[in-house]
Amino acid sequence: MSATTATPAKRLDVDAIRAEFPILHQQVHGKPLVYLDNAATKQKPRSVIESQSHYYERDNANIHRGVHLLSCRATDAYEAARARVRKFLNAAEDAEILFTRGTTEGINRVARSYGELLSAGDEILISHMEHHSNIVPWQMLAKRKGTVLKVAPIDDAGQLDVAAFERLLSPKTKLVSIVHQSNSLGTINPIAELIAKAHAVGAVVLVDAAQSCSHLKVDVRALDADFVVLSSHKIYGPTGVGVLYGKRALLDRMPPDEGGGDMILSVTFEKTIYNKLPHKFEAGTPNIAGVIGLGAAIDWVESKGLDAIAAHEDDVLRYGTQKLTEIPGLRIIGTAAHKASVLSFTLGDIHPHDVGTVLDMEGVAIRTGHHCTQPVMDRFGVPATARASLAVYNTRADVDALCVALHKAIEVLG
Ligand code: PMP
């Protein structure tokens, strides 16, 4: 669970928070919805939903190229969101914040673009707990450029073997791409330490902050991260939008991986001059409403405070861990000393999909499957897990509802 801070985090009024999420107040299959699939995507507070309808009702126009008032307002709102993200991540300048479709596109962009600067034999180091989106792009790059993919192992608790990680680093390591918080285990990696070790051999580091960004401060300058990727929908924002942070010195050297409108200064049939950052990497009309929604989501998260969100989620996680341990036949997968918001488990010999189906009939929404981390499933010798994952609006009562539904699953399927 998250490290304790010097000053205790303020206590959140979770009932008031829940009231801000219209979707939570409904029945499914005649039961009150208990939404515990937050690692897959989080629900959206009213302010995020309204920021987008406000944009479509008043300001909708294409950005950057227009002289008319609506286009200026749309551009201002879009660029204001970039400034918010810059502040949220403590980046040095707005130009280092590139909007993407999400974490997946951010990693693919680095693989395609930074990958162009790499040569055959250069090594890329990831860990055994990566999401498929932080595995497959590096395999594709290996095919294209002859780079070599190395994988740092994890232990039986689902923690990175830091000594093995360090042994795999060498002057051949050009890039380390590592998850800050695992989506299937909940493990939080000692990211500052890993970045320092990677830098010591001259490697650049990409941090997958898809899960961590909603409850841990990701300060790109304090961490000295080279690239950070995240998805808006995991931080209470809309789907289809994400962020790729990159240090200017790197982004300036990297070729654009997509050509089109907005990423150019001038085009003739003979020659194209690329636009400056960040536009060099934002070809075409972006998801303007989505970016504005992401800005609203960051405002919302900051109004609650990441420390307070983490403290609340940690309390529910501790309670949930204790309660699940009391259920006969239940095995928690992912027991790292430092973890957050994820309870992955198997229940005897019952297939997780069957567990998930019974839970759904009880109104409890969890995710079952490999969670896009098949190597993690292989490591623990299971085909799939059931995963309950927390957000700030979850309560101990949600955990109680989960446990009642699990007893029902044992009764029906056991
Ligand atoms: N990395 C991690 C750790 C994730 O949890 C996810 C989403 N489950 C991704 C990457 C991919 O994010 P997206 O699908 O939003 O691109």
Side-chain angles (χ1 to χ4, degrees):
M1 279 155 238
S2 308
T4 45
T5 44
T7 43
K10 74 174 182 207
R11 276 185 84 84
L12 295 173
D13 180 348
V14 177
D15 285 341
I17 286 176
R18 289 180 67 81
E20 293 186 63
F21 288 79
I23 204 169
L24 295 178
H25 309 285
Q26 63 174 296
Q27 304 232 321
V28 292
H29 306 301
K31 305 272 169 62
L33 170 65
V34 176
Y35 185 80
L36 290 169
D37 193 17
N38 295 289
T41 200
K42 296 209 176 45
Q43 301 302 349
K44 324 301 173 198
R46 196 170 279 111
S47 62
V48 168
I49 298 167
E50 285 174 356
S51 71
Q52 292 180 95
S53 42
H54 179 273
Y55 163 74
Y56 279 127
E57 283 171 15
R58 291 197 52 240
D59 301 333
N60 177 52
N62 213 329
I63 54 170
H64 293 147
R65 294 175 288 269
V67 291
H68 62 81
L69 184 63
L70 263 55
S71 177
C72 296
R73 286 211 300 253
T75 304
D76 286 350
Y78 183 86
E79 291 304 329
R82 196 190 307 277
R84 279 192 186 87
V85 175
R86 195 247 318 133
K87 199 165 141 268
F88 184 64
L89 295 177
N90 192 30
E93 43 176 324
D94 290 4
E96 294 178 321
I97 304 298
L98 314 179
F99 289 119
T100 61
R101 278 189 294 121
T103 301
T104 303
E105 187 174 71
I107 299 172
N108 276 278
R109 171 145 297 157
V110 174
R112 287 195 301 257
S113 174
Y114 194 75
E116 276 304 296
L117 308 177
L118 300 180
S119 312
D122 286 348
E123 292 181 4
I124 290 159
L125 177 59
I126 61 172
S127 83
H128 202 118
M129 71 176 88
E130 299 309 319
H131 188 276
H132 295 164
S133 62
N134 199 20
I135 302 172
V136 185
W138 309 117
Q139 292 172 331
M140 292 163 82
L141 180 65
K143 262 202 175 141
R144 192 156 59 83
K145 299 284 285 192
T147 51
V148 178
L149 186 60
K150 299 270 173 170
V151 183
I154 56 176
D155 66 16
D156 292 343
Q159 300 171 127
L160 182 70
D161 180 340
V162 176
F165 171 89
E166 199 163 6
R167 280 196 299 278
L168 285 164
L169 287 170
S170 79
K172 283 198 212 155
T173 318
K174 298 299 173 211
L175 194 137
V176 171
S177 193
I178 192 121
V179 72
H180 194 181
Q181 186 202 333
S182 155
N183 64 309
S184 53
L185 300 165
T187 310
I188 295 171
N189 279 320
I191 203 72
E193 183 189 342
L194 303 180
I195 292 172
K197 287 184 195 306
H199 283 172
V201 298
V204 304
V205 182
L206 182 155
V207 178
D208 173 353
Q211 293 295 332
S212 59
C213 65
S214 59
H215 45 208
L216 288 174
K217 177 77 186 160
V218 178
D219 180 327
V220 296
R221 279 189 287 176
L223 291 172
D224 198 20
D226 300 292
F227 299 108
V228 171
V229 288
L230 59 87
S231 296
S232 152
H233 70 101
K234 310 259 194 208
I235 186 169
Y236 307 96
T239 50
V241 178
V243 173
L244 163 58
Y245 159 81
K247 281 182 185 161
R248 173 184 276 279
L250 294 171
L251 295 176
D252 273 339
R253 281 172 52 214
M254 288 159 54
D257 60 321
E258 278 186 5
D262 229 24
M263 55 75 71
I264 53 88
L265 278 181
S266 73
V267 177
T268 65
F269 287 118
E270 288 71 39
K271 184 178 163 63
T272 289
I273 300 173
Y274 301 139
N275 205 341
K276 59 185 183 355
L277 289 173
H279 311 294
K280 183 172 94 172
F281 288 103
E282 289 182 6
T285 303
N287 183 350
I288 304 165
V291 164
I292 289 168
L294 169 59
I298 288 175
D299 282 352
W300 188 85
V301 164
E302 288 186 325
S303 74
K304 309 300 168 211
L306 276 172
D307 279 356
I309 291 172
H312 171 70
E313 288 179 6
D314 284 353
D315 173 69
V316 181
L317 181 68
R318 262 191 300 272
Y319 180 77
T321 305
Q322 179 57 40
K323 286 283 166 192
L324 288 191
T325 312
E326 291 165 10
I327 293 181
L330 190 144
R331 172 189 174 204
I332 294 182
I333 309 273
T335 49
H338 198 196
K339 67 175 281 193
S341 62
V342 171
L343 286 161
S344 252
F345 58 89
T346 55
L347 191 56
D349 293 334
I350 308 171
H351 196 284
H353 287 320
D354 295 333
V355 175
T357 306
V358 173
L359 263 54
D360 178 51
M361 293 311 293
E362 298 302 307
V364 179
I366 61 159
R367 184 140 303 240
T368 61
H370 53 59
H371 318 294
C372 298
T373 56
Q374 279 185 331
V376 171
M377 301 298 117
D378 293 345
R379 172 67 179 75
F380 285 91
V382 293
T385 70
R387 181 188 68 187
S389 52
L390 307 170
V392 62
Y393 40 69
N394 289 122
T395 61
R396 289 180 174 214
D398 290 344
V399 169
D400 292 338
L402 168 68
C403 291
V404 169
L406 284 171
H407 281 293
K408 178 89 184 226
I410 293 171
E411 199 182 301
V412 174
L413 305 164

